[in-house]
Amino acid sequence: MPIQIGILGLGTVGTGVVRILQQNATDIQTRTHCEVKIKGILERDLQRARELSGDILITDQPAEILQDPEIDIIVEVMGGIEPARTFVLEALRNGKNVVTANKDLIALHGHELLDAANAAGKDLYFEASVGGGIPIIAAMKESLAANRITHVLGIINGTTNYILTAMAEQGREYAEVLAEAQQLGYAESDPSSDVDGLDAARKLAILSSIAFNSRVALKDVFVEGISKITREDLAYAAELGCTIKLLAIAKHQTEGIEVRVHPAILPLTHPLASVGGVFNAIYVVGDAVGETMFYGRGAGSLPTGSAIVSDIMRIARNIESNSTSAINCTCYLDLALKAVSDFYTAFYIRLLVKDEPRVLATLALLFAEANISFASIIQKPRDEHQAEIVLVTHPCREGALQEALDSVKAYSKVLNIHNVIRFENGDHGAKA
């Protein structure tokens, strides 16, 4: 008997799934030892769907897919929370396995859905929800399962990576490159989810839950976007032998786990520094395997479709071997979360000050009172009365840095604090 598939949605990703299943049908059958066929597709635009899918059943009635007893696997590529959540829960209750690419759904309701999958004895796979075509979830759940994962660092949003890459390489301003990204289709007309870091935060909640076997909710992730990054910041970073990336960072340390998404100054020697354009990469450190990196396209019809079809094939093998629900939820720990004030990193601080004697000495004193010292200082005159200063601190607590900045803001010789950016220096033995 063939393994029968029902697809919910035939947009960009759904079309990629259909194309891969049809074009690679012979290879898929050889590798899974069973025939995998699309039985039906749920889609509102019936005419367009029929043009794309040939003689496959096309319907705008969910029950025709979700209640079909011959369908073994439901593929949810609708996006959004509802009705996707309701449809996935119904599919599981009806004894169907589920594959989804829906990061919002997994980040916000993953616990509920995984519990439902376990109760039904069915698989719920979501490889495509984080890295598009990058096989990171299966790698962490299976290939790296022997490790205690200590660090996950990721460039997991192609829109922001495209913007920061173009700004760094071409010396352009944020607004100009964002407009270009929108014209090219790399950014939405409302880009806030990407540029404010929310898309990456949802993905990091999923990744860190799997990496550390402890549930991390979206609300637990500290988030800061890229809209304050300027070409001047990127030029100073280059002067320091670094670049700036929007990083998703998760660390398992003695005091607990920290999860944060923000622009980070990264040494050019770090493997993630060379990841440019719309590409994504995820850097994982395990206690046994050491450093590993997964690189590829984080979005798109065929890359995302590749991850979905791989999940379909994995479930097909499980069905054939009667081993579904063997690897669903892996969150068996309840680890503490570090407070933002206890994050520990070096900082870049760009200030505009009055160009007068003792200003730098006073700034050094204000930071010293918070037990913070400087690793380097760059000072450049802006005119005869003003100077721009870039302070690079030694690693310190975030809470101490904020205390120092409160004092700096009150200092009359400081005209503006242009930006404050965290470093990520790749020191995996960093203080907890």
Side-chain angles (χ1 to χ4, degrees):
M1 292 288 291
I3 302 296
Q4 306 249 43
I5 310 297
I7 299 177
L8 308 181
L10 197 61
T12 300
V13 175
T15 301
V17 171
V18 172
R19 181 176 169 186
I20 294 168
L21 284 170
Q22 291 177 336
Q23 288 186 351
N24 298 344
T26 301
D27 290 334
I28 291 170
Q29 182 170 351
T30 301
R31 293 167 186 169
T32 60
H33 304 291
C34 59
E35 185 182 7
V36 177
K37 294 180 60 178
I38 302 171
K39 175 74 183 294
I41 298 173
L42 177 70
E43 172 60 34
R44 285 178 295 183
D45 189 342
L46 299 179
Q47 182 58 40
R48 173 183 170 277
R50 290 190 182 103
E51 291 172 358
L52 291 171
S53 59
D55 60 357
I56 297 168
L57 168 69
I58 305 297
T59 180
D60 58 3
Q61 299 300 309
E64 290 193 58
I65 303 296
L66 298 173
Q67 296 177 17
D68 186 334
E70 293 184 352
I71 289 179
D72 304 288
I73 304 172
I74 293 293
V75 176
E76 185 276 306
V77 283
M78 304 171 64
I81 301 299
E82 289 293 353
R85 171 182 164 273
T86 297
F87 288 170
V88 168
L89 287 170
E90 183 178 347
L92 292 168
R93 285 194 295 265
N94 290 340
K96 304 185 187 309
N97 302 278
V98 174
V99 176
T100 179
N102 194 329
K103 62 181 176 294
D104 298 341
L105 185 62
I106 297 299
L108 294 174
H109 297 284
H111 184 193
E112 175 189 25
L113 298 178
L114 286 164
D115 282 352
N118 285 335
K122 298 298 176 181
D123 285 329
L124 171 63
Y125 285 179
F126 45 93
E127 182 67 71
S129 66
V130 171
I134 303 172
I136 183 63
I137 291 176
M140 291 201 299
K141 281 195 171 188
E142 299 178 46
S143 301
L144 297 177
N147 287 258
R148 177 181 178 270
I149 294 175
T150 58
H151 292 68
V152 178
L153 279 70
I155 295 171
I156 51 179
N157 181 271
T159 299
T160 51
N161 203 42
Y162 175 85
I163 292 170
L164 292 174
T165 300
M167 289 176 66
E169 293 179 351
Q170 301 163 22
R172 298 162 65 194
E173 288 290 5
Y174 167 80
E176 178 189 358
V177 180
L178 171 58
E180 178 184 83
Q182 290 171 317
Q183 291 174 354
L184 293 172
Y186 296 150
E188 301 289 343
S189 56
D190 177 4
S192 56
S193 178
D194 294 317
V195 300
D196 292 343
L198 300 176
D199 174 80
R202 295 181 184 106
K203 295 172 181 177
L204 184 62
I206 298 168
L207 277 177
S208 53
S209 295
I210 295 168
F212 306 140
N213 304 115
S214 182
R215 189 160 289 110
V216 176
L218 178 60
K219 63 179 177 58
D220 299 325
V221 183
F222 172 83
V223 187
E224 187 178 291
I226 67 166
S227 59
K228 293 181 180 179
I229 302 299
T230 67
R231 63 183 179 183
E232 288 83 7
D233 295 318
L234 285 153
Y236 279 120
E239 193 171 332
L240 294 166
C242 299
T243 190
I244 300 175
K245 298 290 187 182
L246 181 73
L247 287 187
I249 301 169
K251 299 182 179 182
H252 184 185
Q253 300 176 323
T254 55
E255 295 177 5
I257 57 178
E258 62 180 69
V259 280
R260 46 192 169 97
V261 170
H262 54 73
I265 297 178
L266 193 65
L268 294 175
T269 52
H270 195 284
L272 288 173
S274 61
V275 178
V278 296
F279 280 85
N280 285 196
I282 301 163
Y283 179 81
V284 181
V285 181
D287 63 345
V289 73
E291 301 172 34
T292 63
M293 192 166 87
F294 303 79
Y295 171 87
R297 293 188 180 275
S301 175
L302 293 178
T304 306
S306 168
I308 290 169
V309 174
S310 294
D311 275 351
I312 291 171
M313 293 171 66
R314 192 172 290 113
I315 293 174
R317 295 189 192 100
N318 291 346
I319 292 172
E320 288 296 293
S321 63
N322 196 30
S323 59
T324 56
S325 193
I327 306 176
N328 273 328
C329 184
T330 55
C331 294
Y332 55 86
L333 298 175
D334 186 16
L335 299 176
L337 286 160
K338 286 180 67 174
V340 174
S341 60
D342 290 329
F343 292 170
Y344 190 84
T345 184
F347 288 87
Y348 156 107
I349 304 150
R350 181 162 65 93
L351 307 164
L352 184 67
V353 302
K354 293 181 180 180
D355 195 0
E356 298 177 3
R358 294 189 295 276
V359 169
L360 190 56
T362 302
L363 287 172
L365 178 61
L366 293 175
F367 279 90
E369 288 174 348
N371 201 30
I372 298 171
S373 59
F374 300 144
S376 64
I377 300 171
I378 301 171
Q379 180 170 340
K380 295 184 179 180
R382 287 299 174 221
D383 58 37
E384 59 183 82
H385 302 295
Q386 299 178 354
E388 189 166 71
I389 297 176
V390 170
L391 307 172
V392 177
T393 74
H394 285 113
C396 62
R397 285 181 59 254
E398 179 113 8
L401 189 280
Q402 295 304 322
E403 290 175 15
L405 289 178
D406 288 341
S407 299
V408 170
K409 290 173 186 175
Y411 179 35
S412 62
K413 306 299 183 182
V414 173
L415 303 175
N416 194 11
I417 300 177
H418 286 308
N419 218 339
V420 178
I421 308 173
R422 299 163 187 83
F423 277 78
E424 180 56 44
N425 61 12
D427 179 7
H428 306 306
K431 180 178 176 181

